[in-house]
Amino acid sequence: MKTERLLKQLDFIKEIDKIKYIERKSKLFNSDRRENDAEHSWHLAMMVLVLSEHSNEPIDVLKVISMVLIHDIVEIDAGDVFLYDTNKSHNNTVNELKAAKRIFGILPTEQSDKLINIWLEFEQGETKEAKFAKAIDRLEPIMQNLENGGGTWKEFEVPFNKVKEKSQPIEKGSSFIWNYIKDSIKKYYKN
């Protein structure tokens, strides 16, 4: 029984290696290379560790780290949608839920259920942990674009209103970070 459990866990670990091949539109800081989902998730986890004190409410940091580490695993099946896409909606919940059930379903049942529930909590964005996780998820591409002289905003001609709209969830998780970063966005678009 223990061996069967271990085999399921190892199969899951092998499956999620595929996240390293999901290329995002955002580029690494001061670079022309696009990041992959694994790099993005790791960076978010570190950002949560460093920035958690700025959450609007006290949070369970380990839960938030779990959220940011697993939130994009579904893109192995569902693919990545560019956050600032002006034609496609970033809301792909039906395909992503199907992907979550398949990928997390590789694990033993109680682990699968736990990760699906954490993923759903992130997607719904209602808890204080989910709000902060979403804030960090939106903050990273802003920082990348600012560090890259406009980066994908410039490359894909993303208008100010779209950036502002997509950045708004930051305020729900951290009004302090939002107040700082919104001014940086405004300064970029004024230049």
Side-chain angles (χ1 to χ4, degrees), residues 5 10 12 35 46-47 50 52 62 66-68 79-80 87 89 96 98 100 102 104 109 114 118 136 151 164 167 190:
R5 179 178 175 82
L10 293 176
F12 174 77
E35 76 175 340
M46 291 303 300
M47 291 170 71
V50 173
S52 60
L62 182 57
S66 298
M67 285 180 183
V68 299
D80 180 51
N87 299 315
S89 169
E96 289 183 345
K98 183 179 173 185
R102 184 196 72 77
F104 297 130
T109 304
K114 181 179 180 179
I118 290 170
I136 296 302
K164 185 178 175 192
S167 304
K190 282 184 181 176

Side-chain angles (χ1 to χ4, degrees), residues 70-146:
I70 70 168
H71 80 288
D72 279 341
I73 287 176
V74 297
E75 292 181 1
I76 291 169
D77 288 359
D80 180 51
V81 176
F82 180 44
L83 177 62
Y84 302 111
D85 196 311
T86 53
N87 299 315
K88 272 182 158 179
S89 169
H90 196 258
N91 189 352
N92 189 16
T93 310
V94 173
N95 288 340
E96 289 183 345
L97 179 58
K98 183 179 173 185
K101 288 179 179 179
R102 184 196 72 77
I103 298 165
F104 297 130
I106 295 169
L107 286 164
T109 304
E110 83 282 351
Q111 284 185 316
S112 172
D113 291 346
K114 181 179 180 179
L115 292 185
I116 289 171
N117 287 332
I118 290 170
W119 179 81
L120 284 169
E121 183 178 339
F122 173 85
E123 286 300 310
Q124 292 161 355
E126 299 296 325
T127 65
K128 59 189 179 180
E129 286 80 14
K131 288 175 185 175
F132 190 70
K134 283 188 171 286
I136 296 302
D137 188 38
R138 297 298 170 95
L139 175 62
E140 191 215 23
I142 293 170
M143 292 177 65
Q144 289 168 323
N145 281 298
L146 292 171

